[in-house]
Amino acid sequence: MNLKEFAARIGLSQTTVSRAMSGYPEVKPETRARVLEAAERLGYRPNISAQRLATGRAGAIGIVFQGGGRFGPHSSEFMGGLSTRLQRDGIDILVSTVETEEDEAAAYRRLAASKRVDAVIVHTPACSDARIALLQTLGLPFVVHGRSEAKKPFAFLDIDNFGAIEKATRHLAGLGHRRIALINGDTVSTYARDRSDGFRAALAGCGLPFDLDLTGHGEFTDETGFRLMQAFLTLPAPPTAVIAGSMMSALGAMRAIRIAGLTVGQDVSLIAHDDVFPYLSPDNLVPGVTTTQSPIRAAGERIGDMVLQLLQGEAAETLQEVWPVEFIIRGSTGPAPA
């Protein structure tokens, strides 16, 4: 059935039905719920082209990835959650890949000028991120996956990276470890800076010195975890514990520990941050890996909710969330070796 027939069937005007299905804020929540329920029950699907002409919306959300390294397992899981949420409202995702920061800025300008998307998602923000000021200047709505310093408020979802690594470090110190290493991302990014700050704060709180040689940075891959862990183990005083920024880098670290003839959980304790990949469970590794845990797919779904709320008129400053991180102890951590 077409819009006219559907509206007549449920006793509402065509305008009200169209606006309800497009998420306009002036439509009462109960009216929108009634329309969506009836559409599902009667099998009504709006004509997307006509709806976009009527509402002036593109019906799409944009996301720009810079460089091949930015699109990996973490990005795939996040996109899975985002897509799952947006599909429920018939919203498409427009993905662009670019090589440089200048290319990314140009991509945002094109998206704003062409009106091909209603909003964009910004990921992996830097501590001070020029993309945020640019998007605010362009007037293109956006939600950030992470936090950054900015003059004007913006919508964001982040996890407590500081608290997660602080808790992990304190746990290891409580087990008697005095030489603790950290495999981190690039501290130009806010999440990595926060993790570094949490690490340093915990060491200081436990009366332990910070040793720059026990901190490594790089992409969260098996190869990076392996390379950094090997370097830690060649130090005159190698670490007895390590915190890996992801399950991917944890796999590499575990491999390096075993190649060195050491045992994970006995000679070297290990904690990893787990974004909850369906194909890589810390419970299934030997030993099971102690983790700080926050599902990145759930973050993608929630950001989908937030971008729709933003488009429905919610103020950016009311859409700011920091999720706590769960700490799960398994067999990869134990007392420091004598």
Side-chain angles (χ1 to χ4, degrees):
M1 64 183 72
N2 59 31
L3 173 60
K4 182 178 179 180
E5 293 167 336
F6 176 65
R9 185 80 172 267
I10 64 174
L12 294 172
S13 70
Q14 295 178 50
T15 299
T16 298
V17 169
S18 179
R19 288 177 175 271
M21 299 199 74
S22 299
Y24 272 63
E26 60 266 29
V27 178
K28 295 179 180 179
E30 56 268 28
T31 301
R32 183 169 187 266
R34 174 187 166 192
V35 171
L36 293 177
E37 184 280 327
E40 185 68 26
R41 176 167 43 85
L42 298 173
Y44 170 71
R45 295 291 181 271
N47 181 303
I48 297 300
S49 297
Q51 188 180 53
R52 290 174 182 175
L53 284 172
T55 62
R57 288 188 179 176
I61 303 301
I63 187 165
V64 182
F65 289 99
Q66 182 193 136
R70 290 286 186 95
F71 196 93
H74 301 84
S75 301
S76 298
E77 275 299 290
F78 175 80
M79 292 293 288
L82 180 66
S83 176
T84 296
R85 175 60 191 90
L86 295 180
Q87 281 180 1
R88 295 206 300 267
D89 279 54
I91 306 295
D92 297 323
I93 301 175
L94 177 64
V95 178
S96 299
T97 57
V98 298
E99 293 301 321
T100 67
E101 292 181 7
E102 292 76 14
D103 292 338
E104 186 170 358
Y108 290 131
R109 291 190 179 95
R110 286 196 303 274
L111 290 173
S114 66
K115 301 190 184 300
R116 285 185 295 164
V117 298
D118 299 311
V120 294
I121 309 298
V122 176
H123 59 91
T124 323
C127 300
S128 180
D129 201 307
R131 295 176 295 178
I132 292 171
L134 172 63
L135 289 168
Q136 289 175 332
T137 300
L138 293 172
L140 183 59
F142 65 96
V143 178
V144 179
H145 185 204
R147 281 176 284 177
S148 182
E149 298 165 5
K151 293 181 179 179
K152 297 179 182 178
F154 59 90
F156 67 79
L157 171 65
D158 198 5
I159 65 172
D160 183 10
N161 284 291
F162 179 100
I165 301 305
E166 182 187 37
K167 180 175 251 184
T169 307
R170 285 184 176 276
H171 177 71
L172 292 170
L175 290 171
H177 294 278
R178 295 295 176 263
R179 298 279 291 168
I180 304 170
L182 174 66
I183 297 174
N184 200 2
D186 187 344
T187 50
V188 71
S189 298
T190 310
Y191 82 89
R193 180 204 63 188
D194 289 349
R195 291 180 181 187
S196 179
D197 289 348
F199 181 62
R200 287 173 177 253
L203 291 176
C206 295
L208 300 177
F210 171 76
D211 185 343
L212 189 61
D213 289 338
L214 292 179
T215 300
H217 304 276
E219 296 286 344
F220 288 146
T221 63
D222 175 281
E223 179 59 31
T224 297
F226 177 76
R227 177 175 52 79
L228 290 175
M229 193 68 225
Q230 273 198 323
F232 293 148
L233 292 174
T234 61
L235 293 171
T240 61
V242 60
I243 301 170
S246 79
M247 287 299 298
M248 297 298 176
S249 50
L251 288 177
M254 293 174 80
R255 185 158 52 93
I257 292 167
R258 285 172 177 146
I259 287 175
L262 303 172
T263 301
V264 176
Q266 296 179 23
D267 300 306
V268 182
S269 287
L270 180 142
I271 298 176
H273 180 69
D274 181 20
D275 286 302
V276 192
F277 299 122
Y279 46 81
L280 180 57
S281 170
D283 285 308
N284 295 336
L285 298 176
V286 180
V289 176
T290 297
T291 58
T292 57
Q293 179 176 292
S294 182
I296 196 169
R297 178 173 284 264
E301 289 192 35
R302 177 57 188 143
I303 284 181
D305 276 327
M306 293 172 74
V307 75
L308 294 177
Q309 289 177 266
L310 194 65
L311 293 174
Q312 290 166 15
E314 287 278 347
E317 53 267 32
T318 68
L319 296 170
Q320 298 178 335
E321 298 180 10
V322 179
W323 286 2
V325 176
E326 191 175 2
F327 186 58
I328 303 171
I329 300 173
R330 298 185 180 90
S332 68
T333 50

